[in-house]
Each structure stands twice: as structure tokens, then as C-alpha cells.
Amino acid sequence: MAAKRKRGALPAGKAKRARSARSAPSAGEAAPEGGPRERSIPPQESSVPPQEYSIPPPVSQGKWKNKERVLIFSSRGISFRTRHLMQDLRTLMPHSKADTKMDRKDQLFVINEVCEMKNCNKCIFFEAKKKQDLYMWLSNTPQGPSAKFLVQNVHTLAELKMTGNCLRGSRPLLSFDPIFDREPHYALLKELFIQIFSTPQYHPKSQPFVDHVFTFTVTDERIWFRNYQIIEEDASLVEIGPRFVLNLIKIFQGSFGGPTLYENPHYQSPNMHRRLIRLSVAAKFREKQQVKEVQKIKKKGTKVLVEEDPTEVVFETPAEEKPVEIQLVKPESKPIIKDKKKLRKIQRKKQKKLFRTEG
């Protein structure tokens, strides 16, 4: 009975074959008995020098310590323009995260739990009302503070068609108006903007380049947001987009609620603005109707009689009086003849009679 061979073992009397020619014996060594002696071939010298490959070090060798994550999402019922604006902000902010739309029936404090599940400590929430009004919440979850804005004059990246461009994931510079350092509520908003819109250093999805600027300017009691590209040649600025205007409503101590720290006295709600427009249109209509009624009353009123001017009779000349003639003889009645030919015959006969009497 044949013995069982182990796995990997060679049968008896057989040696392992050499894998390559390098394992062959050299010229000095003797060939095995019964086999031919092999001649060693010297290696050919190549004319091309050997290439040296150097791996460049990573651009960012630091450690990602500031782990700021921003959750950007919205409520249901937003328009296409708001959806595009939200997508543009996600593109410009590599440290942002997305989530599904929130139901309008849910309370706003639920967003704190959503941020906790998404491992985010900042939030930008877009709230739509009446399918025409857009509100933006900026919050530091879960402790606060938070600010509520009315978003106006929204223009997206695809809509503006600006000539500027920037690298995807690059870090932006933040430029603020000098008024942000003078007013206390603007100083609080400045710190909130810095923590939300600035890209953390050494973020995995970010690039270690600075090629665009976020500007926050206060004009007409509103905050104007612009995004510009920095051109390296002459350090000039070219607008990229998106652009929008933030009208501050309130600043709260907590996240999406709590005691009110500041309320904007210059804020006017969109409902009040539309109501004033309707009232102004109605006032113009009523004014026109009153003018028409006054004109009708003037037409119906009695005309004022002007006294006679005695000088008007100076240039009037009296007509000559003709003597009154009294006709004593009754005029002859003319025969009524309907046929014109008979009338002509009668006239001719009368003329012939007159000629005969005269002759």
C-alpha cells in the first residue's frame, strides 16, 4: 500500500527546480555530476542612469484639533432658490454636514438632538413660511447662543454667473465691517460667524490654500454677505457668489430659544410690510374716487349768473323798420299738379295767350 504524501512535500528522488537563472551555479563552482557546465554571463551596463523617486511630504503635517462641524439643513416647503443657496454653502464649507428636511410641525429644540446625533456643534437652519418668507437660524448647539435672521435678496452661484472661481475646499478669509467691534450685539454675531464659517485648520476635507474672502458688511441696519476670489497677480477681488442679505430679528441666550438678549428695533416683519403696501394702494384708490365725486358735484351745481355789462350795447346798431303792408286781395291758389309734363304744358299755353293779347 502506497504511503500518503504530505501537502507541499516532494516525492522521493526528485529535487526542487530552480526558479530563475540566478540560482544556477557560478563559473567557479563545479556543475553537478553528469550535467554540462554552464557559462556565466556578465550583466550588461545600461546607458540610462537609475531614476530616483522622492515622495513629497504631506502639505498639512499638523493635527486636526479644532473639530468644528456645521449641520446645514432646512424645513419642508422651501423654494428652489433656497435649496440652491443651501447647496452652495455646503460646497463652500468642507466642514459642513447635511440632513433630511425637518417637518414643520416639529418644535425647533428638536434640532439640538439632531445635531447631537450628527456629531455637530454648530447649525445653520433655514425655515420657510408661507412659501415666500425665508428665515435663517445660526446656533451654537446645545448651549447657545443663537440668532434669527430674515434672508432677503438671495442670489445663488448658478444664477449670478460670476467670473470668479475658487478651489473646492479651500480655506476662506473672513472680513468684517468695523461696526462689528463697536456694538456689543454685533461683536457676539462676529464670534458666531467666525466659529461657523471659518474652516478648521488641518481639516481632512479642506485644502491648505487661501484663495477667497467672506465679507460681512453692515449697511442699512442689515448684514450683507459677499464671497470674493483673491487674484494672485494684483491681489484684486472678483465676486464669486452666492450673495444674500441678513436682517437681524433677535438674539437668544439658548440654542433655538431661551431668554432674548437683543431685539432689533428697526426690524419690520414681511406681513407688516405687505400690509402697508396694500394700505397705500387702497389710499390712492380712495383718493381717486373722492376726486371723481367732487367733479360730479361741480357739474350738477347751479351756474353762477354774471351781471350784465352796460358797455356791451354800445356796438349794437338797430335794424331799419320796414312799413307794414296789408294784403287785401286773397292770393290765387296754385293748382297742385303731380305730373311735371302737364305743368310745363299749362305754362306754355299761358305764355301763348299773353303773346296773342299783346300782339
Side-chain angles (χ1 to χ4, degrees):
M1 185 174 177
K4 210 169 187 181
R5 184 164 57 90
K6 294 181 180 180
R7 176 180 286 181
L10 296 174
K14 289 187 179 182
K16 195 174 182 180
R17 182 179 288 181
R19 292 183 178 179
S20 61
R22 292 180 182 177
S23 62
S26 61
E29 296 177 356
E33 294 181 359
R37 180 174 288 181
E38 294 182 359
R39 188 177 60 183
S40 63
I41 301 172
Q44 296 179 358
E45 295 181 357
S46 60
S47 59
V48 182
Q51 296 180 357
E52 294 182 358
Y53 296 98
S54 61
I55 300 174
V59 182
S60 59
Q61 298 180 354
K63 189 178 180 181
W64 178 32
K65 296 181 180 179
N66 180 20
K67 297 189 177 182
E68 296 280 354
R69 298 181 182 89
V70 183
L71 180 64
I72 303 177
F73 72 119
S74 67
S75 64
R76 296 194 180 276
I78 61 172
S79 61
F80 71 97
R81 195 186 301 272
T82 308
R83 187 173 66 252
H84 290 177
L85 174 63
M86 190 168 54
Q87 189 61 37
D88 293 344
L89 291 179
R90 290 172 182 169
T91 306
L92 294 173
M93 300 165 64
H95 60 293
S96 64
K97 288 187 177 183
D99 194 19
T100 56
K101 295 179 181 178
M102 194 181 76
D103 196 357
R104 285 181 289 184
K105 295 181 181 179
D106 295 340
Q107 299 295 328
L108 290 177
F109 61 83
V110 181
I111 301 175
N112 297 325
E113 300 177 3
V114 178
C115 293
E116 187 179 356
M117 288 188 293
K118 287 286 183 178
N119 197 17
C120 297
N121 51 4
K122 299 291 184 294
C123 180
I124 300 178
F125 177 67
F126 291 95
E127 185 181 7
K129 291 185 178 180
K130 296 187 176 181
K131 297 184 179 180
Q132 54 185 344
D133 302 332
L134 177 63
Y135 298 91
M136 178 192 286
W137 285 84
L138 300 180
S139 176
N140 178 25
T141 58
Q143 290 85 13
S146 59
K148 185 179 181 181
F149 301 91
L150 174 67
V151 186
Q152 298 172 330
N153 302 332
V154 177
H155 297 280
T156 59
L157 275 170
E159 179 185 357
L160 284 176
K161 297 182 181 178
M162 292 292 183
T163 56
N165 194 5
C166 65
L167 183 67
R168 185 184 179 94
S170 60
R171 301 184 66 212
L173 291 175
L174 299 184
S175 174
F176 291 93
D177 196 273
I179 197 173
F180 279 93
D181 298 327
R182 294 196 295 265
E183 300 291 338
H185 60 281
Y186 281 131
L188 177 61
L189 291 178
K190 178 181 178 180
E191 186 63 29
L192 196 61
F193 288 147
I194 290 174
Q195 295 183 14
I196 290 178
F197 288 97
S198 61
T199 303
Q201 196 174 9
Y202 307 123
H203 191 276
K205 294 183 180 180
S206 67
Q207 301 291 338
F209 307 106
V210 178
D211 58 354
H212 62 114
V213 185
F214 288 161
T215 63
F216 298 89
T217 310
V218 178
T219 306
D220 194 19
E221 305 296 337
R222 291 172 175 82
I223 301 173
W224 300 63
F225 175 86
R226 295 291 184 270
N227 182 21
Y228 296 98
Q229 176 197 359
I230 304 173
I231 299 177
E232 297 180 359
E233 299 173 356
D234 53 353
S236 60
L237 299 178
V238 179
E239 189 172 357
I240 304 173
R243 57 162 65 171
F244 52 87
V245 179
L246 299 177
N247 191 359
L248 178 63
I249 303 174
K250 283 184 181 182
I251 300 177
F252 299 96
Q253 184 177 354
S255 177
F256 295 97
T260 303
L261 298 179
Y262 176 78
E263 186 174 358
N264 187 8
H266 307 283
Y267 171 72
Q268 187 182 65
S269 65
N271 294 331
M272 181 61 67
H273 181 67
R274 287 189 287 267
R275 180 174 177 272
L276 293 177
I277 291 176
R278 290 195 299 269
L279 290 176
S280 64
V281 173
K284 288 182 180 179
F285 179 74
R286 283 196 299 270
E287 187 178 355
K288 288 182 180 179
Q289 291 296 112
Q290 290 176 0
V291 170
K292 288 182 181 179
E293 291 177 359
V294 170
Q295 290 177 353
K296 288 181 180 179
I297 293 171
K298 286 183 178 180
K299 289 181 180 178
K300 292 180 179 179
T302 56
K303 295 180 180 180
V304 180
L305 297 177
V306 183
E307 297 180 356
E308 295 183 358
D309 189 4
T311 58
E312 291 182 356
V313 196
V314 174
F315 300 99
E316 291 183 1
T317 54
E320 296 180 357
E321 296 182 0
K322 294 182 179 179
V324 181
E325 294 182 357
I326 298 171
Q327 190 174 0
L328 303 174
V329 182
K330 183 181 179 180
E332 296 180 359
S333 61
K334 295 180 180 180
I336 299 170
I337 301 171
K338 294 182 180 180
D339 195 357
K340 292 183 179 180
K341 292 182 178 180
K342 290 182 179 181
L343 179 62
R344 289 174 185 172
K345 288 180 181 180
I346 294 168
Q347 289 177 355
R348 287 174 186 172
K349 288 180 179 180
K350 288 182 178 179
Q351 288 177 359
K352 287 179 180 179
K353 286 180 179 180
L354 288 172
F355 284 127
R356 287 176 186 173
T357 52
E358 289 177 0

